[in-house]
């Protein structure tokens, strides 16, 4: 892939499984918080799956849309966009009622020093949304940050691992889950909790950050020495397919790739592809933020895009100075301060 258009087209290619699953979903789909990193590509993927399935459903995208260009692009792709401040309850209540909601709104970076806003977005707003959409099914985006760091050789936290969020961001995300869970019980709302880490796009993500550092000769700190990653196209697919497995109480899924990746190995693989030496510093810790995603893989299958393919794509992208986003993951963070 050499252009943004090629990347977006790749991200929007639905699998046969998604086409089948989206055809089985009754009702329209609302993406709350579509303006984030994953929302636009998820919306386009949904549209393409609907077209291939030969069924008509509206895809709504709600966001503040501070980026007016994104709003126009999504409308050109057939997404019905709605500019809204979700924290304004009057605006929230004006949103159309739909059968299917994918909740992607939240706050992570900038939490430190602005904790009150993070808690409002991540733990207060979910209750208002659950009240509004108590007659819908809801897929709730969450994060592996609700778990504690686990031993590298343990295989990662499973859905049965007791939460142990480190820092206010992780705690507020656990609050998000608990509030949605409470309303699921109260109103019998079918839900799925979608605990993701880390999605990979050519413009952002753990692998891109390492590749850029390797190319520039900058130090790659491997103190947080291991991670799980998944191609964003696969992550988007699973989010949409979760609509068919919502339940009360909520179904919970860890979402990522099957590998516990050594980031030292990743840095050296990029060095080979880029024809440079990797400047690796630090020593791997015995623990990391890791998720065991066996349940999701049993339900939805393994990711279609492999680690080796992602390494090749990202190395080519970085080598040719492809466009990137200044949205670091802070995957090195061990104290939960974002």
């Amino acid at each position: 892939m050499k252009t943004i258009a090629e990347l977006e087209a790749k991200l929007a290619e639905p699998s046969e499984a998604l086409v089948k699953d989206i055809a089985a979903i009754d009702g329209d789909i609302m993406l709350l918080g579509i303006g984030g990193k994953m929302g636009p590509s998820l919306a386009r993927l949904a549209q393409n799956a609907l077209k291939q399935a030969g069924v008509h459903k509206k895809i709504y995208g709600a966001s503040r849309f501070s980026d007016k260009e994104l709003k126009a692009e999504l409308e050109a792709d057939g997404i019905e966009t709605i500019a809204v401040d979700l924290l304004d309850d009057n605006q929230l209540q004006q949103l159309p009622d739909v059968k299917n909601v994918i909740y992607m709104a939240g706050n992570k970076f900038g939490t430190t020093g602005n904790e009150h806003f993070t808690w409002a977005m991540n733990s207060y707003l979910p209750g208002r949304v659950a009240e509004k959409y108590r007659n819908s099914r809801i897929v709730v985006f969450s994060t592996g940050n609700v778990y504690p760091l686990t031993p590298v050789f343990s295989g990662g936290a499973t859905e049965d691992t007791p939460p142990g969020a480190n820092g206010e961001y992780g705690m507020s995300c656990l609050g998000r889950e608990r509030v949605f869970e409470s309303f699921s019980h109260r109103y019998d709302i079918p839900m799925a909790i979608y605990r993701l880490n880390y999605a990979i796009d050519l413009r952002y993500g753990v692998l891109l950050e390492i590749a850029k550092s390797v190319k520039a000769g900058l130090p790659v700190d491997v103190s947080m020495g291991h991670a799980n990653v998944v191609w964003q196209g696969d992550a988007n697919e699973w989010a949409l397919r979760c609509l068919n497995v919502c339940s009360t109480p909520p179904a919970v899924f860890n979402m990522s790739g099957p590998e516990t990746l050594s980031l030292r190995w990743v840095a050296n693989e990029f060095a080979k592809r880029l024809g440079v030496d990797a400047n690796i510093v630090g020593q791997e810790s015995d623990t990391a933020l890791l998720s065991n995603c066996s349940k999701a893989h049993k339900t939805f299958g393994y990711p279609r895009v492999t680690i080796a393919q992602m390494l090749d794509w990202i190395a080519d992208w970085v080598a040719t100075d492809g466009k990137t986003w200044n949205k670091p993951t802070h995957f090195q963070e061990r104290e939960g301060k974002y």
Side-chain angles (χ1 to χ4, degrees), residues 134-215:
R134 59 185 178 271
N135 296 315
S136 305
R137 60 178 68 90
I138 306 175
V139 174
V140 178
F141 265 59
S142 188
T143 171
N145 285 89
V146 301
Y147 294 122
L149 302 181
T150 57
V152 170
F153 296 111
S154 71
T158 72
E159 291 83 356
D160 294 324
T161 300
N166 189 15
E168 294 214 32
Y169 166 68
M171 289 189 289
S172 71
C173 290
L174 180 58
R176 172 199 295 149
E177 292 189 10
R178 294 304 192 212
V179 170
F180 269 117
E181 181 183 7
S182 177
F183 281 89
S184 177
H185 282 278
R186 181 175 183 179
Y187 293 124
D188 199 29
I189 308 171
M191 294 185 183
I193 305 294
Y194 179 102
R195 292 175 176 165
L196 174 67
N197 62 295
Y198 290 95
I200 299 298
D201 184 325
L202 303 187
R203 294 162 292 192
Y204 80 97
V206 173
L207 300 186
L208 174 69
E209 291 170 37
I210 294 174
K212 289 174 66 178
S213 293
V214 169
K215 180 187 176 186

XYZ file of all heavy atoms in Angstrom, residues 134-215:
643
model
N -31.809 2.008 25.787
C -32.144 0.826 26.577
C -32.942 -0.201 25.777
O -33.106 -1.343 26.226
C -32.910 1.216 27.838
C -34.206 1.959 27.633
C -34.781 2.393 28.986
N -36.021 3.157 28.867
C -36.068 4.487 28.729
N -34.936 5.187 28.682
N -37.217 5.113 28.644
N -33.445 0.187 24.599
C -34.163 -0.765 23.751
C -33.311 -1.262 22.586
O -33.832 -1.864 21.643
C -35.450 -0.124 23.216
C -36.428 0.212 24.316
O -36.656 -0.595 25.211
N -36.995 1.416 24.274
N -32.007 -1.021 22.664
C -31.085 -1.420 21.606
C -30.157 -2.519 22.107
O -30.188 -2.897 23.283
C -30.245 -0.211 21.168
O -31.055 0.877 20.782
N -29.333 -3.043 21.215
C -28.190 -3.857 21.637
C -26.951 -2.975 21.505
O -26.869 -2.157 20.573
C -28.077 -5.146 20.826
C -27.906 -4.964 19.331
C -27.757 -6.312 18.614
N -28.973 -7.091 18.656
C -29.932 -7.021 17.734
N -29.813 -6.190 16.713
N -31.007 -7.767 17.826
N -26.003 -3.125 22.411
C -24.879 -2.189 22.487
C -23.561 -2.948 22.579
O -23.390 -3.816 23.446
C -25.012 -1.253 23.709
C -26.371 -0.549 23.717
C -23.877 -0.234 23.717
C -26.621 0.295 24.972
N -22.629 -2.600 21.688
C -21.245 -3.066 21.783
C -20.435 -1.935 22.402
O -20.401 -0.823 21.880
C -20.674 -3.437 20.404
C -19.181 -3.788 20.508
C -21.445 -4.612 19.802
N -19.805 -2.218 23.533
C -19.104 -1.205 24.308
C -17.594 -1.358 24.126
O -17.013 -2.359 24.562
C -19.451 -1.331 25.807
C -18.681 -0.292 26.621
C -20.950 -1.209 26.028
N -16.971 -0.383 23.486
C -15.512 -0.405 23.365
C -14.895 -0.182 24.738
O -15.247 0.740 25.465
C -15.035 0.679 22.404
C -14.826 0.198 21.000
C -15.884 -0.362 20.282
C -13.589 0.299 20.382
C -15.703 -0.804 18.980
C -13.404 -0.149 19.082
C -14.451 -0.704 18.376
N -13.963 -1.037 25.088
C -13.214 -0.885 26.326
C -11.739 -1.166 26.024
O -11.303 -1.033 24.883
C -13.768 -1.815 27.414
O -13.166 -1.543 28.662
N -10.991 -1.569 27.007
C -9.544 -1.669 26.860
C -8.973 -2.732 27.778
O -9.538 -3.026 28.850
C -8.889 -0.318 27.200
O -7.463 -0.480 27.264
C -9.355 0.197 28.561
N -7.833 -3.286 27.383
C -7.111 -4.196 28.250
C -6.538 -3.518 29.479
O -6.065 -4.199 30.406
N -6.594 -2.174 29.508
C -6.091 -1.440 30.678
C -6.919 -1.679 31.933
O -6.527 -1.243 33.017
C -6.043 0.064 30.384
C -4.903 0.445 29.479
O -5.054 0.438 28.256
N -3.754 0.762 30.046
N -8.047 -2.348 31.827
C -8.797 -2.689 33.035
C -8.106 -3.811 33.807
O -8.424 -4.036 34.983
C -10.254 -3.095 32.711
C -10.982 -1.955 32.005
C -10.318 -4.373 31.887
N -7.164 -4.514 33.155
C -6.450 -5.608 33.806
C -5.160 -5.113 34.454
O -4.591 -4.091 34.045
C -6.073 -6.679 32.782
C -7.235 -7.405 32.161
C -7.421 -7.394 30.777
C -8.131 -8.130 32.945
C -8.470 -8.086 30.193
C -9.192 -8.815 32.356
C -9.354 -8.786 30.990
O -10.400 -9.464 30.411
N -4.652 -5.861 35.425
C -3.308 -5.577 35.937
C -2.269 -6.074 34.938
O -2.575 -6.825 34.008
C -3.256 -6.396 37.234
C -4.155 -7.571 36.958
C -5.272 -7.027 36.095
N -1.024 -5.642 35.117
C 0.081 -6.255 34.376
C 0.172 -7.724 34.799
O -0.001 -8.056 35.975
C 1.390 -5.541 34.673
C 1.442 -4.029 34.374
C 2.824 -3.470 34.696
C 1.062 -3.724 32.935
N 0.411 -8.601 33.834
C 0.485 -10.035 34.125
C 1.845 -10.589 33.733
O 2.531 -10.020 32.875
C -0.611 -10.804 33.369
O -0.480 -10.554 31.969
C -1.991 -10.376 33.829
N 2.269 -11.697 34.343
C 3.551 -12.304 33.961
C 3.589 -12.627 32.478
O 2.605 -13.130 31.910
C 3.605 -13.575 34.814
C 2.746 -13.273 36.004
C 1.635 -12.412 35.469
N 4.719 -12.349 31.850
C 4.844 -12.515 30.408
C 4.555 -13.949 29.976
O 3.952 -14.184 28.924
C 6.254 -12.084 29.949
C 6.506 -12.466 28.504
C 6.427 -10.576 30.137
N 4.947 -14.913 30.803
C 4.787 -16.314 30.412
C 3.463 -16.910 30.878
O 3.258 -18.117 30.798
C 5.958 -17.136 30.952
C 7.277 -16.721 30.360
C 8.235 -16.083 31.134
C 7.545 -16.927 29.016
C 9.441 -15.681 30.587
C 8.747 -16.530 28.455
C 9.701 -15.901 29.240
N 2.533 -16.060 31.333
C 1.235 -16.557 31.812
C 0.227 -16.723 30.683
O -0.819 -17.335 30.872
C 0.665 -15.610 32.861
O 0.248 -14.378 32.255
N 0.501 -16.127 29.527
C -0.465 -16.146 28.430
C -1.386 -14.951 28.417
O -2.220 -14.819 27.535
N -1.250 -14.060 29.407
C -2.062 -12.850 29.439
C -3.352 -13.028 30.217
O -3.798 -14.145 30.513
N -3.973 -11.906 30.551
C -5.230 -11.915 31.301
C -6.351 -12.489 30.450
O -6.461 -12.190 29.255
C -5.578 -10.504 31.748
N -7.186 -13.315 31.043
C -8.397 -13.791 30.373
C -9.584 -12.977 30.878
O -9.457 -12.171 31.807
C -8.652 -15.278 30.661
O -9.077 -15.422 32.029
C -7.397 -16.114 30.423
N -10.724 -13.226 30.273
C -11.932 -12.521 30.696
C -12.312 -12.849 32.146
O -13.089 -12.111 32.768
C -13.095 -12.859 29.760
C -12.955 -12.305 28.349
C -12.105 -13.157 27.419
O -11.547 -14.177 27.890
O -11.987 -12.821 26.227
N -11.764 -13.924 32.673
C -12.037 -14.299 34.066
C -11.026 -13.705 35.046
O -11.194 -13.854 36.268
C -12.026 -15.826 34.212
C -13.160 -16.497 33.454
O -14.260 -15.902 33.403
O -12.945 -17.596 32.907
N -9.991 -13.048 34.548
C -9.010 -12.418 35.422
C -9.658 -11.240 36.142
O -10.254 -10.371 35.494
C -7.795 -11.919 34.612
O -7.179 -13.029 33.962
C -6.776 -11.230 35.516
N -9.551 -11.161 37.463
C -10.137 -10.021 38.176
C -9.519 -8.709 37.696
O -8.298 -8.626 37.510
C -9.789 -10.294 39.645
C -9.579 -11.768 39.711
C -8.975 -12.154 38.392
N -10.334 -7.678 37.470
C -9.784 -6.385 37.056
C -8.798 -5.854 38.087
O -8.925 -6.110 39.286
C -11.017 -5.486 36.957
C -12.157 -6.427 36.766
C -11.805 -7.661 37.536
N -7.829 -5.128 37.595
C -6.843 -4.496 38.471
C -6.278 -3.289 37.761
O -5.077 -3.197 37.533
N -7.171 -2.386 37.393
C -6.789 -1.223 36.592
C -5.710 -0.408 37.295
O -5.794 -0.149 38.494
C -8.012 -0.362 36.302
N -4.714 0.008 36.519
C -3.583 0.762 37.035
C -3.704 2.201 36.556
O -3.508 2.487 35.385
C -2.269 0.131 36.536
C -1.044 0.727 37.195
O -1.152 1.413 38.208
N 0.112 0.464 36.627
N -4.048 3.130 37.450
C -4.190 4.526 37.059
C -5.628 4.913 36.779
O -6.511 4.066 36.621
N -5.863 6.224 36.715
C -7.235 6.720 36.606
C -7.888 6.404 35.264
O -9.106 6.191 35.197
C -7.268 8.229 36.893
C -6.890 8.544 38.332
C -7.651 9.734 38.880
O -8.810 9.972 38.495
O -7.058 10.450 39.711
N -7.103 6.378 34.187
C -7.703 6.016 32.900
C -8.280 4.608 32.959
O -9.446 4.380 32.628
C -6.690 6.120 31.770
C -7.158 5.440 30.510
C -8.233 5.943 29.787
C -6.554 4.259 30.056
C -8.699 5.298 28.646
C -7.011 3.617 28.924
C -8.074 4.135 28.214
O -8.537 3.485 27.096
N -7.460 3.652 33.388
C -7.931 2.277 33.458
C -9.098 2.126 34.404
O -10.066 1.399 34.117
N -9.043 2.815 35.548
C -10.153 2.733 36.506
C -11.427 3.318 35.922
O -12.527 2.777 36.126
C -9.766 3.442 37.803
C -8.723 2.703 38.622
S -8.473 3.408 40.267
C -7.643 4.950 39.861
N -11.314 4.429 35.187
C -12.516 5.033 34.598
C -13.111 4.135 33.521
O -14.333 4.115 33.322
C -12.190 6.422 34.029
O -11.391 6.334 32.866
N -12.245 3.378 32.811
C -12.755 2.442 31.801
C -13.461 1.268 32.458
O -14.472 0.768 31.944
C -11.616 1.957 30.916
S -10.958 3.240 29.827
N -12.932 0.813 33.592
C -13.651 -0.207 34.347
C -14.989 0.362 34.816
O -16.016 -0.336 34.798
C -12.819 -0.670 35.542
C -13.458 -1.752 36.416
C -13.787 -3.000 35.601
C -12.546 -2.084 37.592
N -14.996 1.642 35.203
C -16.255 2.296 35.552
C -17.229 2.288 34.396
O -18.437 2.040 34.580
N -16.738 2.553 33.195
C -17.587 2.496 31.993
C -18.251 1.126 31.881
O -19.466 1.015 31.681
C -16.752 2.771 30.752
C -17.495 2.552 29.440
C -16.508 2.389 28.291
N -15.749 3.599 28.069
C -14.501 3.641 27.620
N -13.858 2.510 27.337
N -13.888 4.778 27.428
N -17.441 0.084 32.004
C -17.984 -1.266 31.886
C -19.030 -1.542 32.953
O -20.092 -2.109 32.673
C -16.852 -2.288 32.008
C -15.864 -2.279 30.857
C -14.901 -3.452 30.945
O -15.133 -4.361 31.778
O -13.913 -3.462 30.192
N -18.733 -1.172 34.195
C -19.637 -1.474 35.294
C -20.970 -0.731 35.161
O -22.043 -1.276 35.481
C -18.981 -1.129 36.626
C -17.770 -1.979 36.987
C -18.088 -3.452 36.993
N -17.007 -4.230 37.597
C -16.686 -5.455 37.250
N -17.369 -6.066 36.286
N -15.701 -6.090 37.849
N -20.902 0.519 34.689
C -22.137 1.283 34.511
C -22.989 0.654 33.409
O -24.205 0.448 33.581
C -21.820 2.760 34.208
C -23.086 3.498 33.775
C -21.201 3.437 35.432
N -22.371 0.331 32.279
C -23.134 -0.336 31.225
C -23.691 -1.671 31.721
O -24.844 -2.030 31.439
C -22.254 -0.563 29.992
C -22.289 0.552 28.991
C -21.142 1.275 28.687
C -23.462 0.885 28.329
C -21.167 2.308 27.754
C -23.507 1.909 27.395
C -22.347 2.624 27.104
N -22.884 -2.415 32.457
C -23.333 -3.701 32.985
C -24.546 -3.534 33.890
O -25.510 -4.315 33.825
C -22.186 -4.356 33.751
C -22.515 -5.722 34.327
C -21.367 -6.291 35.142
O -20.366 -5.572 35.379
O -21.483 -7.456 35.564
N -24.528 -2.490 34.727
C -25.654 -2.242 35.624
C -26.941 -1.988 34.840
O -28.005 -2.538 35.164
C -25.341 -1.044 36.532
O -26.441 -0.730 37.358
N -26.846 -1.166 33.793
C -28.039 -0.874 32.997
C -28.474 -2.078 32.172
O -29.662 -2.246 31.881
C -27.793 0.349 32.113
C -27.923 1.647 32.858
C -26.830 2.217 33.492
C -29.146 2.297 32.937
C -26.951 3.406 34.195
C -29.284 3.479 33.635
C -28.175 4.043 34.270
N -27.514 -2.926 31.789
C -27.866 -4.160 31.091
C -28.758 -5.020 31.976
O -29.781 -5.565 31.521
C -26.604 -4.934 30.717
O -26.921 -6.172 30.109
N -28.394 -5.130 33.255
C -29.217 -5.890 34.190
C -30.564 -5.188 34.432
O -31.613 -5.847 34.496
C -28.477 -6.041 35.523
C -27.415 -7.080 35.507
N -27.668 -8.421 35.669
C -26.057 -6.974 35.340
C -26.540 -9.105 35.611
N -25.549 -8.253 35.412
N -30.523 -3.875 34.553
C -31.740 -3.136 34.903
C -32.796 -3.198 33.812
O -33.988 -3.398 34.087
C -31.379 -1.675 35.191
C -32.565 -0.811 35.586
C -32.122 0.591 35.964
N -33.240 1.412 36.416
C -33.119 2.672 36.819
N -31.921 3.257 36.829
N -34.175 3.357 37.208
N -32.364 -3.033 32.548
C -33.315 -2.958 31.450
C -33.262 -4.182 30.530
O -33.917 -4.187 29.489
C -33.045 -1.711 30.607
C -33.321 -0.404 31.326
C -32.321 0.566 31.436
C -34.571 -0.131 31.874
C -32.565 1.783 32.069
C -34.826 1.070 32.515
C -33.825 2.023 32.613
O -34.064 3.221 33.250
N -32.456 -5.171 30.897
C -32.300 -6.366 30.061
C -31.754 -5.990 28.676
O -32.248 -6.457 27.647
C -33.630 -7.112 29.932
C -33.440 -8.552 29.481
O -32.387 -9.135 29.789
O -34.338 -9.098 28.802
N -30.739 -5.124 28.675
C -30.124 -4.679 27.416
C -29.043 -5.675 27.001
O -28.099 -5.906 27.759
C -29.470 -3.293 27.569
C -30.447 -2.275 28.155
C -28.923 -2.808 26.227
C -29.782 -0.952 28.531
N -29.156 -6.264 25.808
C -28.082 -7.132 25.347
C -26.837 -6.304 25.002
O -26.929 -5.308 24.283
C -28.658 -7.814 24.105
C -29.895 -7.079 23.752
C -30.286 -6.202 24.873
N -25.695 -6.721 25.524
C -24.452 -5.964 25.336
C -23.280 -6.908 25.117
O -23.333 -8.088 25.465
C -24.148 -5.098 26.555
C -25.111 -3.972 26.827
S -24.532 -2.962 28.221
C -25.899 -1.801 28.365
N -22.216 -6.338 24.566
C -20.914 -7.003 24.506
C -19.859 -5.981 24.912
O -19.884 -4.838 24.449
C -20.621 -7.539 23.112
N -18.948 -6.383 25.795
C -17.827 -5.549 26.216
C -16.620 -5.945 25.386
O -16.214 -7.108 25.379
C -17.518 -5.727 27.711
C -18.765 -5.475 28.564
C -16.364 -4.819 28.125
C -19.264 -4.064 28.541
N -16.031 -4.966 24.711
C -15.002 -5.190 23.696
C -13.683 -4.619 24.224
O -13.417 -3.435 24.092
C -15.479 -4.489 22.417
C -14.583 -4.542 21.215
C -14.851 -5.429 20.178
C -13.494 -3.683 21.079
C -14.062 -5.451 19.043
C -12.702 -3.708 19.945
C -12.981 -4.596 18.927
O -12.193 -4.613 17.808
N -12.870 -5.469 24.863
C -11.613 -5.029 25.482
C -10.461 -5.169 24.487
O -9.910 -6.252 24.285
C -11.326 -5.847 26.741
C -12.309 -5.583 27.874
C -12.049 -6.509 29.055
N -12.941 -6.186 30.174
C -13.147 -6.983 31.223
N -12.514 -8.149 31.307
N -13.969 -6.610 32.187
N -10.067 -4.055 23.893
C -9.095 -4.042 22.795
C -7.734 -3.531 23.239
O -7.638 -2.543 23.955
C -9.626 -3.138 21.670
C -8.692 -2.873 20.494
C -8.435 -4.150 19.694
C -9.288 -1.787 19.586
N -6.671 -4.212 22.812
C -5.319 -3.644 22.802
C -4.422 -4.576 21.962
O -4.467 -5.787 22.176
C -4.750 -3.494 24.221
C -4.604 -4.802 24.970
O -5.584 -5.468 25.280
N -3.381 -5.213 25.260
N -3.629 -4.072 21.059
C -3.625 -2.724 20.479
C -3.957 -2.860 18.998
O -3.461 -3.770 18.337
C -2.234 -2.106 20.589
C -1.782 -1.740 21.971
C -1.001 -2.618 22.709
C -2.123 -0.508 22.520
C -0.567 -2.270 23.968
C -1.676 -0.152 23.791
C -0.898 -1.049 24.512
O -0.474 -0.713 25.767
N -4.774 -1.928 18.463
C -5.086 -1.935 17.037
C -3.929 -1.330 16.247
O -3.267 -0.398 16.699
C -6.365 -1.157 16.770
N -3.694 -1.876 15.043
C -2.577 -1.460 14.195
C -3.086 -0.946 12.858
O -3.810 -1.640 12.140
C -1.613 -2.641 13.955
C -1.019 -3.142 15.269
C -0.519 -2.240 12.966
C -0.185 -2.145 16.018
N -2.700 0.277 12.541
C -2.962 0.928 11.258
C -1.580 1.370 10.762
O -0.633 1.418 11.540
C -3.893 2.127 11.519
C -4.362 2.868 10.279
O -3.582 2.971 9.319
O -5.490 3.385 10.286
N -1.446 1.671 9.505
C -0.147 2.168 9.023
C 0.146 3.574 9.518
O 1.295 4.022 9.488
C -0.105 2.147 7.490
C -0.357 0.802 6.812
C -0.105 0.911 5.310
C 0.486 -0.301 7.418
N -0.878 4.301 9.993
C -0.702 5.693 10.413
C -0.470 5.855 11.903
O -0.104 6.939 12.367
C -1.933 6.512 9.994
C -2.095 6.637 8.499
C -3.505 7.062 8.115
N -4.470 6.003 8.403
C -5.730 6.003 7.966
N -6.163 7.009 7.233
N -6.546 5.017 8.273
N -0.712 4.814 12.682
C -0.516 4.893 14.128
C -0.397 3.474 14.675
O -0.682 2.485 13.991
C -1.679 5.623 14.815
C -2.895 4.751 15.036
C -3.107 4.127 16.258
C -3.814 4.522 14.020
C -4.195 3.309 16.465
C -4.909 3.709 14.222
C -5.100 3.100 15.441
O -6.177 2.285 15.629
N 0.011 3.368 15.932
C 0.036 2.073 16.594
C 1.421 1.694 17.091
O 2.433 2.303 16.740
N 1.459 0.666 17.916
C 2.697 0.209 18.541
C 3.769 -0.101 17.498
O 4.925 0.325 17.616
C 2.423 -1.042 19.399
C 3.733 -1.637 19.920
C 1.491 -0.711 20.555
N 3.402 -0.839 16.461
C 4.396 -1.241 15.469
C 4.940 -0.041 14.702
O 6.156 0.028 14.426
C 3.798 -2.269 14.498
C 3.290 -3.574 15.121
C 2.856 -4.543 14.033
C 4.345 -4.206 16.015
N 4.078 0.897 14.359
C 4.545 2.098 13.657
C 5.527 2.882 14.528
O 6.568 3.347 14.029
C 3.371 2.986 13.276
C 3.765 4.335 12.653
C 4.366 4.139 11.273
C 2.586 5.295 12.595
N 5.216 3.038 15.797
C 6.097 3.810 16.686
C 7.478 3.176 16.767
O 8.503 3.876 16.738
C 5.465 3.918 18.067
C 4.214 4.797 18.084
C 3.456 4.719 19.397
O 4.121 4.621 20.450
O 2.216 4.744 19.377
N 7.525 1.859 16.833
C 8.818 1.176 16.878
C 9.547 1.329 15.547
O 10.750 1.611 15.511
C 8.621 -0.303 17.242
C 8.092 -0.425 18.669
C 9.931 -1.077 17.093
C 7.729 -1.839 19.080
N 8.825 1.164 14.442
C 9.457 1.283 13.122
C 10.043 2.673 12.903
O 11.159 2.821 12.377
C 8.444 0.964 12.027
N 9.323 3.708 13.287
C 9.823 5.080 13.126
C 11.070 5.311 13.966
O 12.031 5.950 13.514
C 8.729 6.081 13.503
C 7.585 6.160 12.508
C 6.458 7.054 13.005
C 6.887 8.498 13.118
N 5.764 9.366 13.557
N 11.092 4.792 15.179
C 12.269 4.946 16.031
C 13.459 4.210 15.450
O 14.588 4.725 15.446
C 11.970 4.422 17.439
O 11.014 5.223 18.089
N 13.232 3.009 14.955
C 14.320 2.233 14.347
C 14.896 2.970 13.149
O 16.121 3.098 13.003
C 13.818 0.829 13.953
C 14.853 0.120 13.075
C 13.525 -0.005 15.202
N 14.046 3.461 12.280
C 14.520 4.175 11.089
C 15.323 5.404 11.457
O 16.358 5.700 10.839
C 13.336 4.586 10.213
C 13.762 5.331 8.943
C 12.569 5.879 8.178
C 13.050 6.693 6.966
N 11.934 7.368 6.270
